[in-house]
Amino acid sequence: MLIARVIGTTVSTVKDEKLTGRKLLIVRQTDEFGEPVGKPYVAIDTVDAGIGDLVLTAAGSSARQTNITKDTPVDAVIMAMIDS
């Protein structure tokens, strides 16, 4: 799992049918203090996150383990919002 901050949204009108209706958010990994590190990447949103939210993400095969992303072609998923 990685801590990341949602920094934007992206739109794709042509995509795999299993992704239809799913929100694609641009996130950037942060350190434990919320400071940005690493490069931005796109993640499927499963928790209704928004710009500015601090979230937990999973990548690789782990990203396909949620009920929403099971058997879908995703590499990153937002699976939780961090409260504190």
Side-chain angles (χ1 to χ4, degrees), residues 19-72:
L19 297 177
T20 300
R22 300 289 170 219
K23 188 165 55 167
L24 304 172
L25 295 177
I26 302 168
V27 296
R28 185 169 181 195
Q29 186 179 346
T30 67
D31 63 16
E32 65 273 21
F33 303 107
E35 295 300 316
V37 297
K39 296 179 181 179
Y41 57 98
V42 175
I44 300 292
D45 180 26
T46 65
V47 295
D48 201 27
I51 294 174
D53 286 339
L54 202 57
V55 297
L56 284 178
T57 65
S61 62
S62 297
R64 295 181 288 282
Q65 300 302 313
T66 71
N67 288 334
I68 292 173
T69 58
K70 186 153 183 71
D71 298 323
T72 59

